[in-house]
Amino acid sequence: MRVIEFFSGIGGMHFALKECNLENFEVVLAVDINTVANAVYRHFFPSTNLRDLNILSLSPEQFDAYRPDILLMSPPCQPFTRNGLVKDINDERTKPLLHIIENLIPKSESLKYILVENVKGFESSLARDKLVTTLSQSGFTYREFLLSPVHFGICNSRLRYYLLAKKKPLDFAISLQNDIITENNWDDKLCSRVKQVSDVLSESETELEEYLINDKQLLKGGKALDIVTKNSKRSCCFTRSYSSYLCGTGSVYSSLCEENIKEIINDNDNNLEVLKSLKLRFFTPAEVAKFMCFPVSDFPVSKKKAYQLLGNSINVYVVSRLLCLLLPKNF
């Protein structure tokens, strides 16, 4: 099976393929314009044909020359996220996706399988409407889902839109409704899941002082933080702004027990010393990667860049499960 990976980032889709224990595949082309992300991708997959390329410059003939069986993509989410301007197809960042929809998919003779990931909100976009219209006209059957790692027993919220498509006469082996798939639908034999926060923690807390939340940040947003402990079975979605901003970018960690944290917060009148007693820190990039089920932790970039790249990436386990559903069992 020959795979093309568009908007390849740090290789989340590639890792997901490997998590499926599928040996008979080759990523014949990976494409992204983010040079920092490409450096990380090359670090993990040095032999893959990765190109710093604007997808708009790729013609249908060039695309089909790779004879792809599978297309995996996670297009830019900013045109569709509720925190943005929601410019949809009028956003410049949507143009590469529209090129794929209008020019590459319809004219490909070899393409049989497609997986798309994006943020919640994409399902109600004009871009999505164009995508499913093209798929139907090009002879594909498809299924759509809104899924979060929590539906698979992973203690991290990251609700995302997914689309699976197969070229007819291929079809899905089981009847699927266009809604949430729960963890009970899966034969769970692949990677170990992160069931509570302790599953991701670094071994030594004493070496993590650089991740402590500083005084200025504590005073500004201490009361609005989502604090988790080692026994927590939940955490918030980590975004590309994690560590740069506090509110809404992801959970922070305290080594104290939940009872002590509640007591301190209830007695707190925004006193700095009281807030500091919580011993709050950001999760490290390696820990965030574990929440997102990446099998690696060594990112050859700065902490800030690692957070940004992970915030733009996928949950490897969730995508691996979807790929196992999409691809034939005798792959």
Side-chain angles (χ1 to χ4, degrees), residues 118-321:
N118 213 285
V119 293
K120 175 175 169 50
F122 184 85
E123 75 279 3
S124 58
S125 69
L126 293 175
R128 175 264 174 196
D129 293 345
K130 286 180 175 288
L131 173 60
V132 298
T133 297
T134 291
L135 290 174
S136 296
Q137 293 174 346
S138 301
F140 284 85
T141 182
Y142 64 90
R143 300 290 186 273
E144 300 171 281
F145 310 96
L146 289 174
L147 295 171
S148 174
V150 297
H151 301 128
F152 297 81
I154 299 167
C155 67
N156 182 239
S157 296
R158 194 176 184 84
L159 186 62
R160 292 294 184 267
Y161 166 91
Y162 297 94
L163 177 142
L164 305 179
K166 294 186 180 188
K167 189 71 172 283
K168 297 175 182 177
L170 297 171
D171 203 352
F172 293 92
I174 60 176
S175 177
L176 296 174
Q177 299 298 317
N178 291 356
D179 57 7
I180 298 299
I181 304 176
T182 68
E183 60 179 305
N184 295 325
N185 291 94
W186 304 100
D187 179 17
D188 184 24
K189 295 181 180 179
L190 298 182
C191 59
S192 59
R193 292 176 299 177
V194 180
K195 297 181 179 179
Q196 60 183 27
V197 170
S198 61
D199 293 332
V200 311
L201 294 178
S202 301
E203 294 183 2
S204 176
E205 282 291 321
T206 59
E207 300 175 0
L208 299 174
E209 288 189 4
E210 63 180 303
Y211 294 95
L212 290 173
I213 299 176
N214 63 46
D215 295 356
K216 183 178 179 180
Q217 289 174 315
L218 283 174
L219 286 173
K220 186 175 181 179
K223 281 193 170 183
L225 293 175
D226 182 72
I227 304 170
V228 297
T229 70
K230 65 179 182 180
N231 296 320
S232 297
K233 296 183 178 181
R234 59 158 197 88
S235 61
C236 292
C237 178
F238 296 96
T239 75
R240 70 186 312 277
S241 298
Y242 188 65
S243 82
S244 296
Y245 297 95
L246 286 179
C247 301
T249 63
S251 300
V252 298
Y253 177 72
S254 173
S255 59
L256 303 182
C257 66
E258 291 185 10
E259 291 76 13
N260 289 346
I261 293 172
K262 289 179 181 179
E263 289 178 7
I264 292 172
I265 291 177
N266 290 337
D267 294 338
N268 174 36
D269 58 354
N270 220 34
N271 180 282
L272 179 59
E273 293 305 316
V274 174
L275 289 170
K276 288 173 69 173
S277 69
L278 291 170
K279 301 178 182 179
L280 299 176
R281 71 166 176 87
F282 294 107
F283 287 99
T284 69
E287 291 169 336
V288 173
K290 288 181 182 178
F291 275 117
M292 298 175 68
C293 301
F294 275 80
V296 293
S297 58
D298 57 324
F299 295 91
V301 291
S302 68
K303 291 186 299 180
K304 183 176 181 179
K305 291 294 184 182
Y307 286 133
Q308 290 174 347
L309 294 170
L310 285 164
N312 284 336
S313 194
I314 63 169
N315 185 286
V316 171
Y317 183 85
V318 175
V319 173
S320 75
R321 305 292 73 215

Side-chain angles (χ1 to χ4, degrees), residues 26 50 83 85 90-91 94 98 185 218 235 242 293 302 326:
E26 178 187 4
L50 172 65
N83 294 326
L85 298 176
N90 295 316
D91 195 304
T94 309
L98 294 178
N185 291 94
L218 283 174
S235 61
Y242 188 65
C293 301
S302 68
L326 175 67

Side-chain angles (χ1 to χ4, degrees), residues 35-65:
T35 56
V36 179
N38 287 343
V40 176
Y41 191 110
R42 288 191 178 97
H43 175 74
F44 294 139
F45 303 107
S47 62
T48 296
N49 177 28
L50 172 65
R51 298 184 63 186
D52 303 306
L53 179 72
N54 189 327
I55 293 170
L56 289 170
S57 67
L58 193 66
S59 70
E61 294 75 21
Q62 290 172 320
F63 177 78
D64 224 33

Side-chain angles (χ1 to χ4, degrees), residues 2-7 13 29 63 68-73 100-101 104-105 111-116 131 163 165 323 326-327:
R2 298 169 63 83
V3 183
I4 287 184
E5 188 181 1
F6 281 155
F7 315 102
M13 296 286 188
L29 176 66
F63 177 78
D69 299 290
I70 305 168
L71 174 60
L72 308 177
M73 57 176 167
I100 296 167
I101 294 170
L104 302 188
I105 292 176
L111 194 59
K112 304 179 187 71
Y113 305 96
I114 299 172
L115 184 149
V116 182
L131 173 60
L163 177 142
L323 285 171
L326 175 67
L327 301 175

